[in-house]
């Protein structure tokens, strides 16, 4: 590499292992020769950071007691009986280590006492030399003990190149699931594959944003030409197959259809155009059955953030193609479980021929839609069922439309406009609407209510049912969100981008002080600057990891899809946007930690609950960068049914070839994770933070391993 990883970064120091791909720091040759001679005579004297290593067997794990599963072992937990002579020799060697440490410490205090005027300068210089010595010893210890004992994980077979744990249709059918439930997420059955998912044979690195939004490689997604041409919905038809590419370019004859369609929705709401959605309080949109993301791609230029959800599909996946375009998406369905979002999450829900039968199961899908919709938010439905000319000729369609219309009114939704096949409802701003539906309502509502069978009117959820941490709970047949402290109409919230900086009163709703958010924001601003200083020289250099292809030239975007595995308040997301990075962030709030997901969503970001002992609901090769701050500490502080290796293997599945992983955590956990990166075949590097010696950064890159074509 022509440039070191740590160029341009202050306050950090870089150390590596045997498979590092960065240039190593310059070391003292004489010092290393002495260490090598000591190593040849005594392999136990390998690391000053663990003087108790000499009491372990030779095959003991490296550094902080890294086990094969990635947990930290007890350094006093065992050992084989030693002979008296052996114990004496080891005691003498340990004594030598103590003497060296005492000598260095005494030398340090003597040196800084020479002159009080130069005290700070001498201390910093001495500390650098001391840290360099320890770093050299660490590296030698890693070379001799660590990686050689860890077996690399094998690659999965070709049939698993689009593998998603928890979504096994054939297994679900065998268990008796049907009526669409066979496509549901079921993580309790079967075990995850302990192998690394390889890309398809002709996989190519996606084109950089914004070019990649309009053009993707056919080989990167599991879709056939026939599926492209037979796509049914409006957004699906906005595709053109061009040799080895799929094009969504604006030159397509269908593009004007989406632009006109979004403009029509804005006018139905009473706005001049879709550019005014922001002024109406709309920032985040849940696009149900999104096609291939064209609706969200168009609205992105209007500062609107659209999350695509769709059922699991073995091929021609809406979610997979949307993510390949660099747009937010995840697998999600209304079949039997609640979506992994808290109540009152989105400003608008959109369904354009999305495949959901809203009139089925006594309207329970509409109840779930109401739960995740903010007060004053909009529900947009485009379907042949809503076309007056169609259902007047078809009594069955007319019956289905009347059910949806009446049920929506029962949910306190106001029908504000209907044009052609599109209907727009607005959710009520007032909780009092729910309690006044049966008493004091307009006559037409009473008649409608009486005409329905008794007991069909959805009740309001109790506090026990209306929980904020909804994580794939069974669908509730009651109206949720009314007990939430975040019941604030979208019109009363600050518009984007001011929405991301919540005021003191708003933060009190989440139990936070404004100072906490200020500190969190400042910390992540510094972190983002350091990340980019570390990564920029590497990303824009000619490194040899991409077989057959050249790197894109600047100023193309470095990353587009970013996964924050422990989002907390969404500070990483905020810092990236403030730094001008054209990215979107999937803010994940672990189910094992504090629930700040409502705060993240109210700031105008997107996010989801997730249990990291289970597979994330997305396809392989989804994200360009994965960020985990404090996640290892959070996960290992509790009784877990998975290991650190399971967690890192899942990250490998989610990460695109040549993608990057940044893990910030306590030093012992970072060393455990670094040892496991050998099994994953990642290029890894540890960065020490000088201002806090108890924490480290682990920066990794996933190499591009190409699958060989079979004859």
């Amino acid at each position: 590499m022509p440039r070191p990883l740590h160029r341009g970064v202050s306050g950090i120091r870089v150390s590596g292992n045997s498979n590092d791909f960065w240039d190593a720091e310059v070391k003292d040759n004489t010092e290393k020769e002495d260490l090598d001679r000591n190593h040849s005579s005594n392999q136990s004297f390998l690391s000053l950071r663990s003087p108790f290593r000499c009491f372990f067997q030779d095959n003991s794990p490296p550094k902080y007691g890294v086990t094969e599963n990635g947990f930290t072992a007890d350094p006093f937990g065992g050992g084989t009986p030693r002979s008296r002579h052996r114990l004496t020799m080891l005691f003498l060697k340990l004594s030598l280590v103590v003497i060296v440490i005492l000598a260095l410490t005494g030398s340090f205090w003597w040196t800084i006492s020479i002159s009080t005027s130069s005290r700070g300068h001498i201390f910093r210089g001495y500390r650098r030399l001391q840290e360099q010595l320890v770093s050299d010893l660490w590296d030698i210890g890693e070379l001799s003990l660590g990686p050689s004992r860890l077996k690399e994980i094998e690659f999965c077979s070709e049939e698993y190149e689009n593998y998603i744990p928890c979504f096994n249709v054939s297994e679900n059918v065998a268990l008796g699931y049907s009526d669409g439930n066979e496509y549901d997420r079921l993580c309790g059955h079967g075990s995850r594959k302990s192998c690394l998912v390889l890309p398809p044979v002709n996989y190519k690195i996606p084109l950089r944003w914004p070019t990649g939004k309009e053009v993707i490689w056919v080989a990167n997604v599991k879709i056939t030409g026939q599926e492209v041409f037979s796509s049914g919905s409006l957004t699906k038809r906005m595709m053109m197959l061009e040799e080895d590419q799929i094009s969504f370019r604006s030159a397509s004859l269908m593009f004007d259809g989406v632009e006109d369609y979004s403009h029509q929705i804005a006018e139905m709401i009473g706005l001049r155009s879709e550019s005014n959605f922001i002024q109406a309080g709309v920032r985040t949109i849940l696009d149900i059955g999104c096609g291939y993301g064209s609706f969200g791609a168009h609205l992105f230029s209007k500062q609107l953030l659209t999350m695509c959800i769709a059922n699991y599909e073995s091929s021609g996946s809406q979610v997979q193609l949307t993510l390949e375009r660099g747009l937010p998406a995840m697998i999600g369905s209304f079949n039997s479980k609640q979506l992994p979002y808290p109540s009152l999450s989105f400003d608008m829900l959109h369904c354009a021929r999305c495949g959901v039968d809203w009139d089925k199961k006594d309207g329970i899908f509409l109840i779930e839609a109401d739960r995740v919709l903010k007060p004053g938010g909009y529900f947009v439905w485009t379907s042949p069922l809503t076309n007056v000319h169609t259902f007047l000729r078809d009594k069955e369609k007319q019956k289905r439309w009347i059910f949806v219309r009446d049920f929506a009114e029962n949910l306190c939704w106001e029908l504000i406009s209907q044009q052609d096949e599109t209907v727009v409802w607005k959710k009520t701003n007032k909780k009092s609407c729910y309690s006044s539906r049966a008493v004091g309502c307009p006559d037409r509502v009473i008649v409608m209510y009486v005409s329905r069978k008794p007991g069909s009117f959805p009740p309001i959820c109790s506090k026990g049912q209306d929980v904020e941490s909804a994580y794939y709970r069974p669908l509730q047949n009651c109206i949720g969100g009314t007990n939430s402290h975040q019941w604030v109409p979208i019109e009363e919230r600050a518009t984007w981008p001011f929405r991301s900086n919540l005021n003191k009163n708003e933060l009190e709703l989440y139990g936070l002080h404004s100072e906490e958010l200020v500190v969190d924001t400042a910390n992540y601003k510094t972190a983002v600057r350091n990340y980019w200083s570390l990564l920029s020289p590497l990303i824009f250099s000619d490194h040899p990891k991409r077989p057959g292809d050249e790197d894109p030239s600047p100023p193309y975007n470095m990353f587009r899809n970013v996964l924050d595995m422990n989002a907390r308040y969404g500070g990483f997301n905020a810092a990236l946007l403030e730094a001008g990075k054209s990215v979107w962030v999937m803010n994940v709030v672990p189910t094992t930690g504090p629930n700040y997901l409502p705060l993240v969503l109210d700031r105008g970001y997107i996010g989801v609950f997730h249990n990291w002992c289970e597979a994330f609901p997305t396809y392989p090769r989804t994200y360009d960068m994965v960020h985990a701050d404090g996640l290892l500490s959070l996960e290992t502080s509790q009784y877990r049914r998975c290991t650190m290796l399971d967690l890192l293997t899942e990250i490998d599945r989610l990460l695109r070839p040549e993608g990057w992983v940044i893990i910030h955590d306590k030093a012992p956990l970072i060393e455990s994770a670094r040892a496991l990166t050998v099994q994953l075949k990642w290029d890894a590097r540890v960065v020490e933070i000088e201002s806090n010696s108890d924490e480290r950064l682990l920066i990794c890159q996933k190499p591009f391993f190409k699958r060989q074509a079979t004859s």
Side-chain angles (χ1 to χ4, degrees):
M1 295 294 302
R3 286 170 286 185
L5 174 63
H6 56 281
R7 170 175 291 184
V9 182
S10 61
I12 57 178
R13 188 174 63 80
V14 181
S15 63
N17 60 10
S18 59
N19 69 327
D20 289 336
F21 53 93
W22 289 287
D23 298 309
E25 295 182 355
V26 178
K27 302 181 183 292
D28 190 314
N29 294 332
T30 305
E31 204 169 50
K32 292 186 71 175
E33 291 174 1
D34 293 339
L35 292 173
D36 291 339
R37 285 194 296 271
N38 290 338
H39 170 71
S40 62
S41 61
N42 178 19
Q43 189 175 6
S44 300
F45 184 60
L46 290 173
S47 176
L48 286 178
R49 63 199 164 102
S50 184
F52 298 101
R53 185 185 298 280
C54 56
F55 291 103
F56 290 92
Q57 299 179 16
D58 289 341
N59 63 347
S60 62
K63 293 195 175 182
Y64 293 88
V66 181
T67 67
E68 187 173 353
N69 285 332
F71 292 119
T72 307
D74 184 356
F76 303 100
T80 60
R82 312 280 187 173
S83 66
R84 180 176 300 176
H85 175 73
R86 176 67 172 166
L87 287 173
T88 302
M89 294 300 295
L90 293 178
F91 177 76
L92 291 175
K93 293 166 185 174
L94 177 59
S95 300
L96 179 60
V97 173
V98 174
I99 291 171
V100 171
I101 294 174
L102 291 175
L104 292 173
T105 305
S107 175
F108 160 68
W109 286 111
W110 176 82
T111 301
I112 64 173
S113 65
I114 293 176
S115 172
T116 57
S117 62
S118 59
R119 182 173 182 177
H121 175 73
I122 293 174
F123 173 78
R124 287 191 296 270
Y126 181 84
R127 182 174 179 178
R128 290 192 189 97
L129 292 174
Q130 191 179 42
E131 288 180 343
Q132 184 65 61
L133 173 61
V134 174
S135 176
D136 291 346
L137 293 174
W138 284 11
D139 290 343
I140 294 173
E142 282 294 302
L143 286 169
S144 57
L145 289 181
S148 61
R149 303 204 188 279
L150 297 176
K151 183 180 178 181
E152 291 186 347
I153 301 176
E154 299 295 329
F155 291 116
C156 301
S157 58
E158 184 176 354
E159 62 183 301
Y160 290 107
E161 65 186 24
N162 287 292
Y163 171 60
I164 310 175
C166 303
F167 290 92
N168 190 325
V169 177
S170 58
E171 182 177 328
N172 292 347
V173 171
L175 291 171
Y177 292 95
S178 59
D179 297 329
N181 293 333
E182 65 271 22
Y183 293 95
D184 268 0
R185 173 185 177 277
L186 293 172
C187 286
H189 305 288
S191 59
R192 68 174 76 222
K193 302 295 180 183
S194 56
C195 58
L196 303 180
V197 178
L198 275 174
V201 173
N202 297 318
Y203 181 86
K204 295 182 181 180
I205 300 298
L207 300 172
R208 299 292 180 177
W209 181 272
T211 305
K213 180 182 70 171
E214 309 298 350
V215 179
I216 65 174
W217 302 109
V218 175
N220 290 10
V221 293
K222 192 172 182 182
I223 190 170
T224 64
Q226 181 60 34
E227 287 173 321
V228 172
F229 295 126
S230 63
S231 298
S233 72
L234 172 67
T235 53
K236 287 183 180 181
R237 292 197 304 268
M238 277 184 39
M239 308 164 51
M240 293 190 300
L241 190 62
E242 301 174 350
E243 297 182 359
D244 58 347
Q245 296 179 339
I246 297 177
S247 173
F248 302 85
R249 294 186 185 277
S250 58
S252 168
L253 295 177
M254 293 301 300
F255 182 81
D256 290 338
V258 167
E259 186 171 4
D260 291 342
Y261 173 67
S262 59
H263 187 81
Q264 175 190 359
I265 294 173
E267 289 183 334
M268 293 173 70
I269 292 175
L271 306 174
R272 179 174 296 180
S273 71
E274 63 270 32
S275 300
N276 299 112
F277 276 135
I278 292 289
Q279 285 70 34
V282 176
R283 156 66 178 171
T284 56
I285 300 172
L286 184 65
D287 194 2
I288 305 163
C290 63
Y292 299 132
S294 294
F295 183 66
H298 172 65
L299 294 179
F300 174 80
S301 61
K302 315 299 181 184
Q303 300 187 62
L304 300 172
L305 196 56
T306 304
M307 166 68 83
C308 160
I309 62 167
N311 283 322
Y312 166 77
E313 299 167 282
S314 58
S315 65
S317 166
Q318 303 171 64
V319 170
Q320 188 181 40
L321 267 75
T322 301
L323 287 164
E324 191 70 18
R325 300 180 65 184
L327 301 166
M330 61 175 282
I331 300 173
S333 69
F334 285 83
N335 287 336
S336 61
K337 305 287 180 61
Q338 287 185 337
L339 297 171
Y341 313 118
S343 301
L344 319 180
S345 294
F346 295 93
D347 305 317
M348 177 183 286
L349 268 63
H350 174 255
C351 164
R353 303 194 179 191
C354 60
V356 177
D357 294 326
W358 298 107
D359 58 308
K360 301 300 182 183
K361 297 187 178 181
D362 296 326
I364 199 169
F365 300 149
L366 286 168
I367 293 175
E368 174 65 3
D370 177 83
R371 184 185 71 84
V372 298
L373 189 62
K374 289 182 182 294
Y378 300 94
F379 183 88
V380 181
W381 183 32
T382 298
S383 168
L385 284 180
T386 66
N387 191 314
V388 177
H389 302 291
T390 300
F391 68 64
L392 286 178
R393 297 191 301 267
D394 190 323
K395 296 299 182 182
E396 180 61 27
K397 289 183 178 180
Q398 184 179 11
K399 179 181 178 181
R400 295 178 62 188
W401 157 245
I402 292 175
F403 177 91
V404 173
R405 182 197 64 190
D406 292 353
F407 200 90
E409 196 161 5
N410 277 340
L411 293 172
C412 288
W413 292 3
E414 178 189 359
L415 178 59
I416 60 175
S417 185
Q418 182 175 1
Q419 291 183 17
D420 302 325
E421 295 186 350
T422 301
V423 182
V424 178
W425 283 277
K426 182 178 176 65
K427 181 176 176 176
T428 184
N429 289 332
K430 300 177 181 179
K431 295 182 184 180
S432 58
C433 174
Y434 300 112
S435 58
S436 62
R437 286 171 304 176
V439 180
C441 294
D443 292 343
R444 63 185 182 87
V445 178
I446 294 177
V447 171
M448 175 198 69
Y449 175 69
V450 171
S451 64
R452 295 174 53 80
K453 59 184 179 180
S456 63
F457 197 79
I460 298 174
C461 294
S462 65
K463 290 186 177 180
Q465 295 172 299
D466 193 7
V467 298
E468 287 293 343
S469 55
Y471 183 67
Y472 298 109
R473 299 166 70 236
L475 289 171
Q476 302 287 322
N477 194 18
C478 57
I479 298 172
T482 59
N483 296 304
S484 174
H485 295 297
Q486 288 83 45
W487 182 282
V488 180
I490 62 173
E491 300 94 336
E492 297 179 14
R493 296 183 181 273
T495 57
W496 180 262
F498 307 104
R499 188 186 211 176
S500 62
N501 299 315
L502 301 180
N503 60 42
K504 179 180 178 180
N505 294 332
E506 290 171 327
L507 288 174
E508 287 179 353
L509 297 175
Y510 312 97
L512 286 179
H513 297 291
S514 56
E515 294 79 8
E516 295 178 84
L517 191 62
V518 169
V519 171
D520 183 73
T521 301
N523 289 340
Y524 276 113
K525 284 182 182 178
T526 302
V528 166
R529 285 197 300 269
N530 285 340
Y531 295 164
W532 253 249
S533 297
L534 290 166
L535 297 176
S536 296
L538 297 165
I539 294 174
F540 293 128
S541 64
D542 295 325
H543 57 83
K545 295 182 181 61
R546 182 178 298 172
D549 292 330
E550 296 182 358
D551 285 332
S553 300
Y556 285 91
N557 199 47
M558 295 162 60
F559 307 110
R560 175 59 185 167
N561 299 356
V562 178
L563 175 68
D564 193 359
M565 300 178 71
N566 187 23
R568 293 193 181 94
Y569 315 143
F572 185 55
N573 194 155
L576 287 170
L577 295 182
E578 186 164 333
K581 310 303 179 185
S582 183
V583 300
W584 68 271
V585 180
M586 177 68 82
N587 295 282
V588 179
V589 173
T591 56
T592 52
N595 177 18
Y596 288 111
L597 186 55
L599 167 64
V600 172
L601 295 166
D602 285 349
R603 295 184 71 181
Y605 309 140
I606 55 175
V608 65
F609 289 119
H610 187 62
N611 180 346
W612 282 115
C613 274
E614 300 173 351
F616 195 71
T618 191
Y619 291 79
R621 302 171 297 280
T622 293
Y623 290 95
D624 305 306
M625 172 187 277
V626 174
H627 176 257
D629 185 0
L631 180 69
L632 301 183
S633 294
L634 177 64
E635 294 297 313
T636 56
S637 65
Q638 307 178 34
Y639 173 75
R640 310 297 292 148
R641 57 185 175 88
C642 59
T643 66
M644 188 185 296
L645 183 59
D646 293 330
L647 181 62
L648 296 180
T649 304
E650 174 64 4
I651 293 176
D652 183 87
R653 186 184 73 87
L654 302 177
L655 199 62
R656 286 176 173 168
E658 298 188 3
W660 296 84
V661 182
I662 299 179
I663 302 176
H664 179 203
D665 223 300
K666 297 177 181 177
L669 293 171
I670 289 295
E671 291 301 328
S672 299
R674 178 170 71 164
L676 294 175
T677 61
V678 178
Q679 296 182 261
L680 298 166
K681 306 176 179 66
W682 290 354
D683 297 319
R685 189 70 163 177
V686 171
V687 178
E688 297 183 6
I689 304 173
E690 218 170 30
S691 62
N692 190 337
S693 60
D694 295 332
E695 297 180 354
R696 302 283 189 274
L697 285 178
L698 178 63
I699 301 182
C700 311
Q701 185 180 31
K702 175 182 175 179
F704 185 1
F705 294 105
K706 296 199 74 172
R707 182 184 296 279
Q708 300 298 319
T710 56
S711 56

